[in-house]
Amino acid sequence: MTSPRWLTDPEQRAWYAWRRMFPLINAEISRDLGADSGLSEADYDVLSVLSETPGNRMRVTGLAALMMWSRSRLSHHLTRMEQRGLVRREEVTSDGRGAEVVLTDAGVAVIHAAAPLHVESVRRHLIDHLTPEELATLAGLGEAITQRMGVTRKNTN
């Protein structure tokens, strides 16, 4: 058996920093989101993605891929969001290949109300703590890693 490639001190430092930083920031932003708008992270992700797409709609398969969720998990979440009147599902009549998720007028209102408070939370807990150079480095790192893993903002099918 080959010996594991143990992390060097700089690698271990980076790994521990990531492991401590991400859950702390994510928890704060999540807590603010729930308190400010009553939305979960997943709710916000679905609503924000749909609000940025042409016609406020997207194929279920593309949304599942973008969120890195199984279709089943997304389907259950969409059902709860449909019950709250935030989204609806429509069959794709042009090609008969599945369904699209469509943002409702209520969903548009909710995301428009939530977004300003959410962005302030993101600023307070992450953005405002970094220099422009650090932000560029963070963006570059995140984009490089996700692209190597095959996930991009364009994975919307």
Side-chain angles (χ1 to χ4, degrees), residues 4-42:
R5 292 180 349 145
W6 296 111
L7 298 178
T8 64
D9 287 342
E11 291 167 341
Q12 188 144 346
R13 181 175 168 228
W15 174 240
Y16 283 158
W18 167 258
R19 294 285 297 166
R20 286 187 304 269
M21 176 190 72
F22 179 76
L24 288 171
I25 292 170
N26 203 49
E28 292 295 326
I29 292 170
S30 236
R31 198 174 1 262
D32 287 351
L33 182 62
D36 293 341
S37 66
L39 295 173
S40 68
E41 285 180 77

Side-chain angles (χ1 to χ4, degrees), residues 122-123 125-143:
V122 171
R123 284 190 168 288
H125 298 297
L126 176 63
I127 304 299
D128 291 346
H129 295 279
L130 302 173
T131 67
E133 295 79 19
E134 290 167 334
L135 281 172
T137 298
L138 179 61
L141 290 169
E143 291 164 356

Side-chain angles (χ1 to χ4, degrees), residues 58-107:
M58 177 182 245
R59 286 187 182 270
V60 173
T61 54
L63 184 57
L66 188 63
M67 293 183 69
M68 294 182 288
W69 282 16
S70 69
R71 280 189 51 135
S72 174
R73 180 179 178 193
L74 180 60
S75 180
H76 288 294
H77 192 79
L78 292 175
T79 297
R80 291 188 294 274
M81 292 182 76
E82 282 178 305
Q83 291 167 347
R84 292 164 39 213
L86 302 175
V87 299
R88 68 178 181 276
R89 282 179 263 203
E90 294 180 357
E91 292 301 314
V92 179
T93 56
S94 62
D95 63 13
R97 294 184 324 149
E100 288 182 318
V101 185
V102 181
L103 194 58
T104 64
D105 290 342

